[in-house]
Amino acid sequence: MTGLGEQFIKSLQDGRAVWLDGERVDKIAGHPAFQGTLNTLKRLFDTLDDPKLQGRVGFRSPKTGDYVHNAYLALSSAEDLKRRTRAFEIWGRMDARGDEPAFGVRPFVGHRLVRGPEKVSGI
């Protein structure tokens, strides 16, 4: 069975007109300019196939029974909003392999980028 990420990438090969630098791109998935973005999107979609993550980033569609990202959750409570927020936090913490980094690694890097090295010299 093909995962959601691969299904998404295959769905892009539908004859759509994509242009880059004045030239038509016939195969988006094979073009180097799109590789980084497509790899990221594939990993994000694949979280809905991962038994460890799917319940944290998504919910079962009442129509299909498939997992759908919490971005599409119709909010009816504060808990629903928290679920949606947590799903985006998980996506935001994913590294290049699609894994969540060790606690504290990404926040420290982000802190250095925002605050600058002079602000974290005592750590």
Side-chain angles (χ1 to χ4, degrees):
M1 180 178 180
T2 305
L4 286 174
E6 194 60 39
Q7 288 176 34
F8 167 73
I9 290 173
K10 286 181 181 179
S11 78
L12 298 175
Q13 296 307 123
D14 59 1
R16 68 186 68 208
V18 176
W19 295 82
L20 179 66
D21 294 330
E23 295 187 23
R24 185 179 173 118
V25 177
D26 291 319
K27 188 173 181 195
I28 299 167
H31 196 286
F34 299 100
Q35 290 307 297
T37 299
L38 291 179
N39 286 337
T40 297
L41 290 170
K42 180 183 182 304
R43 285 191 316 274
L44 297 178
F45 277 108
D46 285 345
T47 61
L48 295 168
D49 289 328
D50 184 339
K52 294 177 187 175
L53 292 174
Q54 61 190 187
R56 294 170 56 202
V57 299
F59 65 98
R60 287 202 178 270
S61 165
K63 285 188 174 184
T64 66
D66 295 331
Y67 275 94
V68 179
H69 192 270
N70 282 335
Y72 298 102
L73 181 64
L75 302 178
S76 60
S77 68
E79 184 56 36
D80 287 345
L81 181 59
K82 289 177 188 175
R83 286 177 58 200
R84 181 184 287 177
T85 300
R86 283 192 299 265
F88 281 111
E89 287 172 347
I90 289 168
W91 270 13
R93 286 192 309 264
M94 290 175 64
D95 68 11
R97 296 180 315 263
D99 300 325
E100 289 186 71
F103 176 76
V105 172
R106 197 52 68 90
F108 179 72
V109 171
H111 180 80
R112 280 187 69 95
L113 292 173
V114 173
R115 303 285 183 182
E118 67 283 350
K119 301 289 185 189
V120 294
S121 60
I123 294 178

